[in-house]
Amino acid sequence: QVQLVESGGGVVQAGASLRLSCAASGRSIGDYAMGWFRQAPGKERHFLAAIDWSGGNTYYADSVKGRLSISKDNAKNALYLQMASLKPDDTAVYYCAAEFYPEDRLSSWVEKSYEWDYWGKGTQVTVAS
């Protein structure tokens, strides 16, 4: 079992940057693909970004390419999401996810929330206009 705990959320002004963290415990995430999703009030959970077991390959939703950057530190058992130029539409609960997947290439399966086995409880990000 992998336990995931997100942190780093808060209230920020539009245009600001924010870095979210996800601390993993229970198992090493060295063999796990990791991802970030978000869910706005009244909406479905949406995929944002994923990274492979090594941290060498990434996969982004088209809507966030260029503004978000995912990274992984296997030595610290941690996942990060750097967000830039935040907009009020980015307001949501942000979740990290993990899936045992010791493969180099990521594909469209990462976009589907049901493909991920482990989830954190989320961290709230609110972007004020």
Side-chain angles (χ1 to χ4, degrees):
Q1 293 290 330
V2 177
Q3 292 81 44
L4 303 171
V5 179
E6 302 91 339
S7 62
V11 180
V12 297
Q13 293 295 313
S17 297
L18 197 63
R19 188 195 197 204
L20 304 183
S21 299
C22 174
S25 61
R27 288 186 179 177
S28 168
I29 60 172
D31 290 327
Y32 286 75
M34 305 284 292
W36 286 99
F37 287 73
R38 70 184 178 192
Q39 187 168 15
K43 297 187 178 181
E44 295 182 352
R45 191 168 297 189
H46 284 288
F47 167 77
L48 296 175
I51 192 165
D52 75 350
W53 66 278
S54 69
N57 295 288
T58 57
Y59 188 109
Y60 291 94
D62 288 341
S63 60
V64 299
K65 278 182 181 177
R67 287 201 307 124
L68 271 57
S69 178
I70 188 171
S71 60
K72 187 177 188 247
D73 188 333
N74 286 338
K76 295 182 178 180
N77 237 29
L79 177 73
Y80 306 99
L81 184 69
Q82 182 70 44
M83 303 188 290
S85 303
L86 285 165
K87 302 176 287 187
D89 284 349
D90 293 317
T91 295
V93 178
Y94 284 69
Y95 298 91
C96 69
E99 176 68 19
F100 181 77
Y101 190 77
E103 303 288 339
D104 289 340
R105 292 189 180 273
L106 301 174
S107 62
S108 60
W109 70 264
V110 302
E111 300 176 17
K112 302 173 177 64
S113 60
Y114 59 78
E115 294 283 4
W116 297 84
D117 280 341
Y118 302 101
W119 291 88
K121 293 184 178 181
T123 185
Q124 175 71 46
V125 173
T126 302
V127 184
S129 58

